[in-house]
Amino acid sequence: MQEERRLAVLRAIVEDYVSTEEPVGSKALVERHGLGVSPATVRNDMAALEDEGYITQPHTSAGRVPTDKGYRLFVDRLTTVKPMSAAEKRAISTFLDGAVDLDDVVQRSVRTLSQLTRQVAVVQYPTLSRSTVRHIELVSLAPNRLLAVLILSTGRVEQRVVELAADLDDTDLADLRTRVNRAATGAVIADAAVALRAAIPEVDGGSTAAVVDVLVEAMVDHRSDQRIAVGGAANLARYGDSFDSAVRPLLEALEEHVVLLKLLGEASTGGMVTVRIGAEGPYEELASTSVVATGYGPRDEALATLGIVGPTRMDYPGTMTAVRAVARYVSRILDEG
């Protein structure tokens, strides 16, 4: 009973501190929250929470603020995350459904996340090496010229023009299209490249081999593997009171994509949202930063990670909800192609 009451006091302190940006006193807790106990009991609970390292007194005022340990307990003991409003769900769906290609999906996701959370949003482009071949299309442009279109599970589309050593009629083209799809569709790109080489022998004066060469080259093009998109850096202006400790290091980190990728961590499947608070992260200089992230990809296959980074004083329930919702919408878009 006492533990649950103290957890309620901690929850109230976190919520008030995040919303008011001011240290929280016992009188304010009693006035704002129906804790059902006397101010003296609240003061005792706050003293106990401080002794256990969950809250601290930043200066001589009566107010307390959560520590990283306090935020951690708050997040771990969340029974529900903040539900999204119908308007928020509609906004995400409408905005993301208008995307025209993978780049557009990523850029729209960053903007949506940063607007919903008022934090810095980071979206990793789907990692090519972990994607699978969804479909290969071969389109005749001329008897000796083809357009090869490679469509991956990430939503990425690669197009290449193939100059053929000999003419290819419609029957041979249809046969080649069937064989390349039978060999590659559904396979991760490394396996697909090997399967294409094995399944398509060099015939027709080298024309089919030329098609295979172009498809394999498109599959092993790793230009997007370490790419990320960042949005909402202006939101850090809200944290002017902690500029040197939290904002400046984060602004510097935004210039280093490798740092941001490590901050996001490994992509996770099944809708699991990872929250790393303060010193739990991989960089000591970002010890005043928290990260809320999850994986996204088609059919519960986490191909990449998206999330937000920001000072530890953030709305964790609302941020976790937004990150999960955007990841689900992006996954659905990739799933539908």
Side-chain angles (χ1 to χ4, degrees), residues 87-109:
E88 288 173 326
K89 292 178 182 178
R90 199 160 47 245
I92 295 174
S93 177
T94 302
F95 192 53
L96 292 184
D97 283 348
V100 296
D101 56 24
L102 180 61
D103 279 326
D104 200 15
V105 169
V106 170
Q107 294 300 328
R108 285 171 181 251
S109 301

Side-chain angles (χ1 to χ4, degrees), residues 111-129:
R111 286 161 59 191
T112 301
L113 256 184
S114 63
Q115 289 168 3
L116 285 172
T117 63
R118 297 180 67 206
Q119 301 283 358
V120 177
V122 183
V123 179
Q124 178 189 11
Y125 278 75
T127 304
L128 180 60
S129 59

Side-chain angles (χ1 to χ4, degrees), residues 106-181:
V106 170
Q107 294 300 328
R108 285 171 181 251
S109 301
V110 161
R111 286 161 59 191
T112 301
L113 256 184
S114 63
Q115 289 168 3
L116 285 172
T117 63
R118 297 180 67 206
Q119 301 283 358
V120 177
V122 183
V123 179
Q124 178 189 11
Y125 278 75
T127 304
L128 180 60
S129 59
R130 294 173 62 184
S131 59
T132 58
V133 176
R134 177 172 286 168
H135 183 68
I136 296 172
E137 188 55 63
L138 302 176
V139 181
S140 178
L141 301 177
N144 63 343
R145 184 182 300 119
L146 293 179
L147 176 66
V149 183
L150 173 67
I151 305 171
L152 301 178
S153 60
T154 58
R156 179 171 171 177
V157 178
E158 291 287 339
Q159 301 183 62
R160 301 285 194 280
V161 174
V162 189
E163 301 290 342
L164 305 177
D167 292 354
L168 206 60
D169 62 29
D170 290 344
T171 301
D172 289 336
L173 177 60
D175 177 61
L176 180 59
R177 184 185 298 115
T178 299
R179 284 190 289 154
V180 296
N181 275 289

Side-chain angles (χ1 to χ4, degrees), residues 162-168 176 202-212:
V162 189
E163 301 290 342
L164 305 177
D167 292 354
L168 206 60
L176 180 59
E202 186 170 338
V203 294
D204 305 323
S207 291
T208 54
V211 174
V212 171

Side-chain angles (χ1 to χ4, degrees), residues 10 33 87 97 119 131 134 208 229 244 252 254 292 304 314 329:
L10 174 64
H33 302 271
D97 283 348
Q119 301 283 358
S131 59
R134 177 172 286 168
T208 54
D244 286 332
E252 293 172 355
L254 296 183
V292 179
M314 68 169 64
Y329 275 104

